[in-house]
Amino acid sequence: MGEGAERRVARWGAAVAVLAMGGALVAGGVAATAGTAPAEAPATGSARSAGAGGSPVAVPLTLPAPTGRHQVGAVALHLIDRQRRDPWGGGTPGHRYREVMVGVRYPAGAGAGRYPRAAQLTPREAAAFDRMNSFSEHVPPGKVAWQATRTAARTGAPVAPRRPGQRLPVVLYSPGAGDPRGFGSTLCDELASRGYVVVTLDHTYEAPAVEFPGGRVARSVMPAEVAKARQAGRMTELLRKVSAVRVADTRFVLDELGGRRGASPLPRGLRGALNLRAVGMFGQSAGGFTAAQTLHDDRRIRAAANLDGVMGYTQRDDDPSNPSTVGRDGVDRPLLLMGMDGDTHHTVASWGAVWEHSRGRDGAWLRDLTLRGSRHATYTDAETLIPQIARQLGLSPAEVTKMIGSVRPARAVAAQRAYLSAFFDRWLRGRGDGGLLDRPSARYPEIRFVP
């Protein structure tokens, strides 16, 4: 397949298909809840040398520190939607309703450094991700200590003090198909360090594994779903269902944050601290589609950013068939599109549909930005982690480029942080950005504005 055609393989449809590697529901393990004891957790897994059996060198991977003025705190929430049976038919007796795990990142106050760093993935989630991820062509299972990565956030740290009456804007994050919520930690921690409360969602039975309090682990059912859909010729219907479940998960989390049932699930320091009139959303791949579709469906979302996600029920980027409602209707609020090199509203059919049908609508504001030299995974923590893995495993520069592109990782991360922060600052806080979102900037020559 040529490079141009390869770019047009559907980002999220293909990612769902990647999950056709196995999945089940198991029990046991360590709870995936936030601890509160102010003690430092080990920053790494236990290092061990490669042995005769090819065991990995468990060298911990690191993520870049946030640049905002706040330290970052983290808590995990287990939410149960008792109005909705699990749409994937998963669960064990007593767990028939839809359950989601949510991570909350927030500006932390003094003393946050005494609390343990939050893991990017729990050990059981890391083990599942090791077996089911989109890098397996170059990174075989058992070679990376995914469980050793720690984020910048401090588990259970106190919330930063606020002025009387001050409330914090909220940003939701949805990961790509097959990715855990922790794989967007760099951007989520960055926004929290700049004063946002960032709420990250795991879409249960779609992510490789989601660990609940008490150690129960829900593993992906997508392998069986993909196999059935392919056999029956119903992949479009499966993609519709994946999207609908994701949007329903997001709207349920919004309901819970608003205390719809009379009680907030947030820890005491965050109750009453959220400005639910200033809510944005972003995501990568299928998560970007989720953000845009939720913007269309739910007026509580004021602005959304789609990081290289197709917005239609198709397995090819250039296929205009089976559009979503956000594609058919467009949007009437701000939407930021950030694509990998080659993905624009001129080449991705669903982006073009949203662009065309948003034109002239009151409140619509669209930007289409390309990060030169980027690939699909550039918009995840892979941009920082893959070069470290390459050094450990001796991967070639060509292999690294195939996974995350040719843009320098530090520059890619800096550009994403700058434009995503400017976008939410403008539309959730009413702050100026010096024209960063209006015209090319010499500070970020990697960013191209697509007319």
Side-chain angles (χ1 to χ4, degrees), residues 13 15-24 86-91 98 132 203-207 219-243 245 315:
V16 170
V18 163
L19 297 179
M21 296 172 60
D86 190 275
W88 298 113
R98 184 63 172 168
M132 298 173 61
H203 299 287
T204 313
Y205 299 116
E206 184 191 324
R219 299 192 185 276
S220 177
V221 301
M222 287 297 109
E225 295 292 333
V226 169
K228 288 189 298 184
R230 282 180 171 164
Q231 186 175 18
R234 298 178 62 84
M235 280 299 296
T236 297
E237 288 78 3
L238 175 59
L239 297 179
R240 287 183 185 275
K241 182 175 179 179
V242 169
S243 178
V245 171
Q315 293 183 274

Side-chain angles (χ1 to χ4, degrees), residues 20 160 186 213:
T186 299

Side-chain angles (χ1 to χ4, degrees), residues 104-396:
V104 182
R105 297 295 209 260
Y106 54 88
R114 298 185 298 114
Y115 289 74
R117 288 190 182 276
Q120 184 188 37
L121 303 171
T122 71
R124 290 178 182 267
E125 290 169 344
F129 184 73
D130 186 52
R131 294 189 299 270
M132 298 173 61
N133 65 71
S134 59
F135 311 116
S136 57
E137 179 183 352
H138 307 285
V139 184
K143 298 297 184 182
V144 177
W146 298 106
Q147 78 286 350
T149 308
R150 293 294 181 266
T151 70
R154 300 284 179 160
T155 300
V159 181
R162 294 173 288 119
R163 299 188 303 274
Q166 180 189 13
R167 294 192 175 187
L168 304 176
V170 178
V171 175
L172 303 174
Y173 172 75
S174 176
D179 281 348
R181 70 182 191 271
F183 221 53
S185 292
T186 299
L187 291 175
C188 292
D189 286 351
E190 177 68 20
L191 289 170
S193 79
R194 296 183 183 222
Y196 290 89
V197 173
V198 184
V199 181
T200 67
L201 289 75
D202 264 331
H203 299 287
T204 313
Y205 299 116
E206 184 191 324
V210 178
E211 189 168 359
F212 296 107
R216 187 166 48 90
V217 178
R219 299 192 185 276
S220 177
V221 301
M222 287 297 109
E225 295 292 333
V226 169
K228 288 189 298 184
R230 282 180 171 164
Q231 186 175 18
R234 298 178 62 84
M235 280 299 296
T236 297
E237 288 78 3
L238 175 59
L239 297 179
R240 287 183 185 275
K241 182 175 179 179
V242 169
S243 178
V245 171
R246 283 169 160 265
V247 172
D249 288 347
T250 306
R251 301 185 75 175
F252 163 64
V253 169
L254 275 172
D255 291 342
E256 292 294 291
L257 294 176
R260 182 180 66 174
R261 295 179 178 85
S264 170
L266 295 167
R268 182 163 47 192
L270 287 175
R271 292 174 193 167
L274 276 58
N275 182 358
L276 295 176
R277 295 183 179 273
V279 179
M281 186 172 182
F282 79 106
Q284 185 264 352
S285 192
F289 182 8
T290 304
Q293 188 64 53
T294 308
L295 176 75
H296 172 276
D297 293 354
D298 197 315
R299 301 205 66 82
R300 290 175 293 183
I301 305 293
R302 289 183 52 184
N306 175 357
L307 309 184
D308 207 43
V310 174
M311 294 184 284
Y313 310 114
T314 174
Q315 293 183 274
R316 293 188 64 85
D317 288 5
D318 58 353
D319 180 4
S321 64
N322 301 308
S324 62
T325 52
V326 70
R328 290 201 304 265
D329 301 338
V331 296
D332 61 1
R333 278 155 288 151
L335 176 64
L336 174 65
L337 304 175
M338 293 189 73
M340 65 173 260
D341 207 339
D343 283 356
T344 74
H345 69 277
H346 301 296
T347 63
V348 180
S350 59
W351 287 25
V354 173
W355 197 271
E356 177 64 26
H357 294 133
S358 300
R359 188 174 299 171
R361 297 192 64 183
D362 289 343
W365 180 99
L366 273 74
R367 287 290 182 275
D368 185 351
L369 306 179
T370 292
L371 180 55
R372 293 183 173 95
S374 63
R375 297 288 291 176
H376 190 52
T378 296
Y379 293 102
T380 71
D381 289 343
E383 184 65 20
T384 298
L385 301 180
I386 290 297
Q388 298 173 61
I389 293 169
R391 290 192 290 271
Q392 292 182 24
L393 302 185
L395 303 181
S396 70

